[in-house]
Amino acid sequence: MQWEVVIGLEIHAQLATRSKIFSAAATAYGTAPNTQACAVDLGLPGVLPVLNKEVVRMAAKFGLAIGARVAPRSVFARKNYFYPDLPKGYQISQFELPIVEGGHIDIDLEDGGSKRIDVTRAHLEEDAGKSLHEDFHGMTGIDLNRAGTPLLEIVSEPDMRSAKEAVAYMRKIHSLVRYLEICDGNMQEGSFRCDANVSVRPMGQEELGTRSELKNINSFRFVEKAINFEIERQIDVLEAGGKIIQETRLYDADKDITRAMRSKEEANDYRYFPDPDLLPVVIEPAFLDMVKATLPELPDEKRQRFVDEFGLGAYDAGVLTASREIAEYFEAVVVTVDGAAKLSANWVMGELTAALNKGGQDIADSPVSAQMLGGMILRISDNTISGKIAKEVFEAMWAGEGDADTVIEAKGLKQITDAGAIEPVIDEIIAANPGQVEQYRSGKDKLFGFFVGQVMKATQGKANPQQVNELLKTKLNG
Amino acid sequence: MYHHKTIAELSRGLAAGEYTSEQLTRHFLQRIEVHGTALNCFITVTADEALTQAREADQRRARGEAGPLTGIPMVHKDIFCTDGVKTSCGSKMLDNFIAPYDATVVRKLKEAGMPLLGKANMDEFAMGSSNETSFYGPVKNPWNTGTVPGGSSGGSAAIVAARLAPLATGTDTGGSIRQPAALCGVTGLKPTYGRVSRYGMIAFASSLDQGGPMTGNAEDAAWVLNVMAGFDVRDSTSVEREVPDYRSGLERPLDGLRIGLPQEYFGEGLNIEVAKVIEVAIEQYKQLGAEVIEISLPNSKRSVPTYYVVAPAECSSNLSRFDGVRFGYRCEEPKDLEDLYKRSRGEGFGSEVKRRIMIGTYALSAGYYDAYYLKAQKMRHLISDDFKQAFESVDVIMGPTAPDVAFELGAKSDDPVSMYLSDIYTIAANLAGLPGMSIPAGFVNDLPVGLQIIGNYFDEARLLNVAHQYQQTTDWHTRTPDAFM
Amino acid sequence: MSLQKEDVVKIAHLARLAIDEADIPGYARNLSSILRLIEEMDVVDTEAVTPMAHPLDMVQRLRDDVVSEENRRECFQKIAPQVENGLYLVPQVIE
């Protein structure tokens, strides 16, 4: 049977505020356990929540960016369940009236087309703490530093039909929240994570199959693997005549499998009701206008502009605009090189990205600044160095040996463009290789490359390759 | 003697140097030592802290920095968190809980310079109308120690009635200030919802709870409310609205005051003798120039059923934090996580609290939410609209605070529903968020009867004025049980 | 609505309350009588009424995003049943 896969994602983006959603405790990552859990976060008797304004602003910003309706009135509700990392025995979330409703994200498909994924809603809620399972004589340790950290939960429609689409959607949201500067997107630290609802149904069937919820997946790679595993598992079950049980499953990255969560076995009855400690959140049009004014150029707009303004291909423009930092870096390079956009794009996507990946560095920490890279590209454009030598220059800049001109000067990498200096070298090589010259002249064209190589070797790569080609041709044919 | 003086008088005496705060505090501590145990009205007596604070108050006065309440000792209901002092909320669950912070109300009264004598006994988590649900045992009514003091602020009411302190704070979710005030013959004021900060007041039902003063008379309540009331950044439901000087309007004559008498407050279930006392009190108001208007609050009959959905629903969630993990009671040797939760909560909570948690859990659960919780929220709207309409033609609403005088200890313990009906006249004000008072208005069988006065939103000044004028011409509020003279 | 023994067991589980077997009938009886009291609401038609969650018609006040809480772990953990290395301890959580 042909099966159709149906996927919806719930993405949790931690909002990049200084203080928590309902308390004035810090949200910094990685501090000693429970040192950032204040009375409110601990749910001490008698404490009360007060909403952080920045959280509302950030949610509204997201809503505007995806073309959603930012609710003029939204309500916080309590989701009741017992768990040790949930201090109050309820999570303050939004249920019936979320702050953001509707909106959409366009993703690129592998075949080059694009697809619109609808966003159902995005709501504000508080994060829970962490359970640490290291052995405390058979007990679990609870760290509530993260409790009360603001989250924006972005819920999609079940619009995705493959793990690849799900990843593309997740990447797009990831890029967007970072553009908007509302989330740092750090997946290792859990600032951006997702739950995936996965089901399959016979192709052509309208009714949705029973879904399972894959919890807390914190990398793009794992999302794809977890979903793919789950799809296969479900199809296997169904094809063997079995039934899918609606359940919560965890992805085990070590074994590359998903397994049912034991702790969430029972059907939950969360008993949502409006939180009586909090009042309805009202967003006035003036507030929304103010937020609108702070919206940056969004990834899709930027990408189109890169195509129009710099003549880049859609793919390159997409890569360069996937992150706001890279896009800004690229634009700073282009300004320096006065228009050599395509060459700049190649360097940013090529050597620079490779070097960053190798060192696991962020572009913000790149030892080669946009101005330095631009300066080097200028030297390529004005024929001071060849593209090949430029790689050497780039490496030296990366190693901290100064800007392009300094490196070129210090290492004597300046290209030889003087025909008078290249000609004697060519003459010497022709003289030293009579056999090859003979073969070339008798039609073995391929040997041309051998001569170029010899010249470059003799000039330590500094000879202008174009000139070498021309001079060689004249002399060999002559 | 000091304990027969009002707060206003004590304030003047302290200011005139007739006595010191330390003398006053020692006097009340001594009375507590003599009478406290018999009435079982204290959970904690903080004698050392009180004396330290009293000496500080005296020093402050010597520096010329005393405020009107500086040096006057008081008591907090054990529902208010007091930094460094046990805050039990009348529950085994919090028997070991030393609060690590002060409630806003506690901080304000501390800053005013009032020494804290101790923490008053109360119904467990403020759930009860007789003080019999306290883990620390029932409080006795000073007027007849075989009867209950009312609840949940029964300890506070008994303390003020027995003159063991001139002020005790209370909280009122469905009548918990007014009903014990009535049963013990003291003055109790539940302000408008949002007028007094709830921060640090252990929540029972967040949309109904409101703290207020319990005192010997209305003037004292005005002095205290001046300090207790006000906006608090830590409480989202507290109101950003100026606090008037509640003392300034006390002397206003009542000429032309329009008093509404809801027919529903004088019907079936009301002790006929209590009704007579209330009628006499209303007569007194007519003498003072007030006009009486018959009104109807048609939906108030449903206030008890409505309340017993809203309050338990909120409490079922509010009390989930008591799980044996971060504070409070933890059961012995839990065998797993579920056992930890179930036994810590099962053993830590008393049966009334468990009942209400279960009712609330049920009312919010899948399939019942609309029929119970949502329905109750709609009823709440109707009940509150009744008041809105009534206040278009009247200035205050009056009636009995409770349908009967104090009943015997144990009389209703096995019948929750009949216990719930003790609050039949007080609950509607909580559902609507309106301010209400109870003042002593006479006796039936040597037990006090309370007159309830309900005002419009933020009209505490008028309530206090109306109560004070009555107390200028009657002496019910000055009566003290013989054993506590 | 009359609650049966199983209902009480189910509700008690949802609320994480250990109830003695012997007390269950008493709870079932009391809770049922409370529910009967509650159901007196049913005589009122509330079809067209909007629910009221708060006594006052106010909107949520927003706090500036400022950190003002300090680390008080030691103080908070003094009142905790069981802690180690700054962590609250609970019986093992199995995910």
Side-chain angles (χ1 to χ4, degrees), chain B residues 6 27 46 91 212 240 246 251 259 263 279 314 330 440 459:
Chain B
T6 67
H27 175 78
T46 50
S91 181
E240 271 181 286
Y246 293 109
E251 304 302 337
I259 299 173
Q263 60 182 71
E279 279 158 28
E314 293 184 12
R330 171 182 279 201
D459 215 1

Side-chain angles (χ1 to χ4, degrees), chain A residues 129 199 279 308:
Chain A
S199 64
L279 300 162
D308 298 343

Side-chain angles (χ1 to χ4, degrees), chain A residues 18-20 23-24 33-34 50-53 82-83 136-137 139-140 142 262-263 266 276 278-280, chain C residues 13 16 54 59-60 62-63 65 67-69 71 73 76 82 84 86-90 92-95:
Chain A
R18 283 187 280 272
S19 66
K20 292 188 176 170
S23 83
N34 291 308
V50 183
L51 183 60
N52 186 339
K53 185 179 191 172
F82 287 89
Y83 209 66
F136 294 98
H137 11 270
M139 301 194 83
T140 293
I142 307 294
R262 287 211 279 172
S263 54
E266 59 179 309
L278 291 159
L279 300 162
Chain C
H13 171 71
R16 298 295 185 276
H54 284 282
V59 303
Q60 179 60 39
L62 303 176
R63 173 178 65 77
D65 182 25
V67 175
S68 60
E69 293 287 351
N71 171 20
R73 184 174 83 181
F76 291 146
Q82 198 178 357
E84 194 171 310
L87 297 162
Y88 293 97
L89 293 193
V90 297
Q92 201 135 53
V93 174
I94 303 150
E95 289 196 323

Side-chain angles (χ1 to χ4, degrees), chain A residues 240-316:
Chain A
K243 266 193 163 166
I244 301 299
I245 312 158
Q246 184 163 341
E247 64 186 352
T248 304
R249 300 179 69 86
L250 275 183
Y251 177 66
D252 182 335
D254 293 336
K255 297 181 187 149
D256 189 23
I257 56 162
T258 66
R259 61 175 169 84
M261 266 177 97
R262 287 211 279 172
S263 54
K264 307 250 171 161
E265 256 169 350
E266 59 179 309
N268 276 309
D269 184 346
Y270 291 124
R271 288 159 285 137
Y272 280 100
F273 74 108
D275 190 329
D277 288 331
L278 291 159
L279 300 162
V281 179
V282 168
I283 295 183
E284 305 283 355
F287 181 84
L288 215 51
D289 287 344
M290 193 193 77
V291 175
K292 205 175 272 174
T294 66
L295 277 184
E297 184 182 30
L298 298 175
D300 287 351
E301 296 164 7
K302 204 183 268 292
R303 177 184 185 175
Q304 191 55 49
R305 182 167 62 79
F306 278 19
V307 171
D308 298 343
E309 196 173 316
F310 303 131
L312 299 179
Y315 176 79
D316 287 1

Side-chain angles (χ1 to χ4, degrees), chain C residues 1-71:
Chain C
M1 188 83 186
S2 197
L3 293 183
Q4 306 303 310
K5 200 181 144 189
E6 314 80 77
D7 300 318
V8 174
V9 170
K10 203 180 132 200
I11 299 165
H13 171 71
L14 205 50
R16 298 295 185 276
L17 292 169
I19 303 282
D20 278 349
E21 187 71 26
D23 294 337
I24 294 176
Y27 276 109
R29 199 171 51 247
N30 280 330
L31 297 178
S32 298
S33 69
I34 296 168
L35 288 175
R36 276 193 295 277
L37 168 77
I38 289 170
E39 281 154 8
E40 286 175 22
M41 294 189 301
D42 294 350
V43 300
V44 183
D45 178 13
T46 52
E47 190 63 38
V49 183
T50 47
M52 172 173 148
H54 284 282
L56 303 174
D57 189 20
M58 299 198 306
V59 303
Q60 179 60 39
R61 185 166 35 82
L62 303 176
R63 173 178 65 77
D64 285 338
D65 182 25
V66 175
V67 175
S68 60
E69 293 287 351
E70 289 160 5
N71 171 20

Side-chain angles (χ1 to χ4, degrees), chain A residues 428-449:
Chain A
E428 249 175 68
I429 284 164
I430 288 177
N433 297 285
Q436 278 85 348
V437 174
E438 189 56 37
Q439 285 177 12
Y440 176 80
R441 285 185 176 153
S442 61
K444 208 167 177 193
D445 290 353
K446 275 185 187 161
L447 273 172
F448 189 73

